[in-house]
């Protein structure tokens, strides 16, 4: 193919992401990309104010919903693109992480320190799906590393359990 067109092989799949919410925590998302439309041409991308939906205090940048790097859009296509994505009918959410924005887009992402609490609040605050009576599952994709913020970490809390750990520093050979 050329440009934005690709050949579409015929393949059979049984799961398509119906009833699932996929959050792409990355460089942002090209929200109007045709791969993120449903069969009727309606966008599956959900534009939310992450601070409001999670209950975390803060202000989302007005330019949160764009991708100057392209990585977030690429990852979302793999996860939920309508041609080659695994979850072709999932709702798509983009949470741009500060430090992962592309050149010329600095300051438009959400801080890594807010990110984790936002994800917990987002899922916990979801209402029951009117069809199933249950909360829609939240799938979180983080195709990145953020070494600076966990260097020297010695523990934390996971699901109410306190833990301690040692993070080896590969640059020192340990």
């Amino acid at each position: 193919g050329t440009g934005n067109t690709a050949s579409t092989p015929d393949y059979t799949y049984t799961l398509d992401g119906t009833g699932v919410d996929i959050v792409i925590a990355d460089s942002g998302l090209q929200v109007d990309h045709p791969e993120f439309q449903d069969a009727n041409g309606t966008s599956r991308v959900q534009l939310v104010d992450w601070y409001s939906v999670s209950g975390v205090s803060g202000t989302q940048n007005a330019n949160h919903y764009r991708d100057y790097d392209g990585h977030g859009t690429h990852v979302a296509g793999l996860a939920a693109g309508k041609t080659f994505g695994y979850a072709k009918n999932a709702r798509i959410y983009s949470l741009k992480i500060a430090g992962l924005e592309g050149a010329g887009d600095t300051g438009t992402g959400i801080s890594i320190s807010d990110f984790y609490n936002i994800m917990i609040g987002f899922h916990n605050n979801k209402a029951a799906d009117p069809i199933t009576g249950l909360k829609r599952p939240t799938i979180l994709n983080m195709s990145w590393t953020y070494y600076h913020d966990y260097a020297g970490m010695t523990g934390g809390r996971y699901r109410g359990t306190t833990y301690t750990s040692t993070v080896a520093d590969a640059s020192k050979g340990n």
Side-chain angles (χ1 to χ4, degrees):
T2 59
N4 289 329
T5 344
S7 61
T8 52
D10 185 23
Y11 63 95
T12 304
Y13 56 92
T14 57
L15 301 174
D16 64 6
T18 297
V20 174
D21 295 334
I22 295 180
V23 178
I24 306 297
D26 210 293
S27 63
L29 187 70
Q30 180 187 334
V31 298
D32 64 348
H33 197 291
E35 281 296 307
F36 307 139
Q37 296 173 351
D38 64 16
N40 298 319
T42 303
S43 178
R44 291 178 290 125
V45 177
Q46 310 298 303
L47 305 178
V48 299
D49 180 321
W50 285 105
Y51 288 99
S52 294
V53 299
S54 67
V56 174
S57 179
T59 303
Q60 184 169 299
N61 188 283
N63 293 315
H64 184 83
Y65 286 106
R66 64 186 188 191
D67 186 3
Y68 278 20
D69 179 72
H71 189 263
T73 301
H74 172 81
V75 170
L78 292 171
K82 72 179 180 181
T83 304
F84 295 109
Y86 286 94
K88 299 171 185 326
N89 288 330
R91 286 184 192 161
I92 305 167
Y93 292 82
S94 173
L95 198 154
K96 187 190 301 187
I97 304 293
L100 299 180
E101 312 102 322
D105 208 26
T106 304
T108 60
I110 289 176
S111 74
I112 195 70
S113 57
D114 284 351
F115 162 67
Y116 294 102
N117 290 327
I118 283 173
M119 286 312 311
I120 292 166
F122 167 70
H123 183 74
N124 287 344
N125 291 341
K126 281 185 181 182
D129 185 290
I131 296 169
T132 65
L134 305 169
K135 285 185 186 184
R136 294 169 60 99
T138 302
I139 306 300
L140 172 61
N141 180 278
M142 302 183 298
S143 297
W144 45 271
T145 182
Y146 222 95
Y147 180 74
H148 174 77
D149 283 340
Y150 68 81
M153 180 172 65
T154 58
R157 281 182 76 72
Y158 178 73
R159 295 187 175 180
T161 303
T162 301
Y163 68 92
T164 58
S165 66
T166 304
V167 177
D169 184 344
S171 67
K172 295 180 183 175
N174 58 0

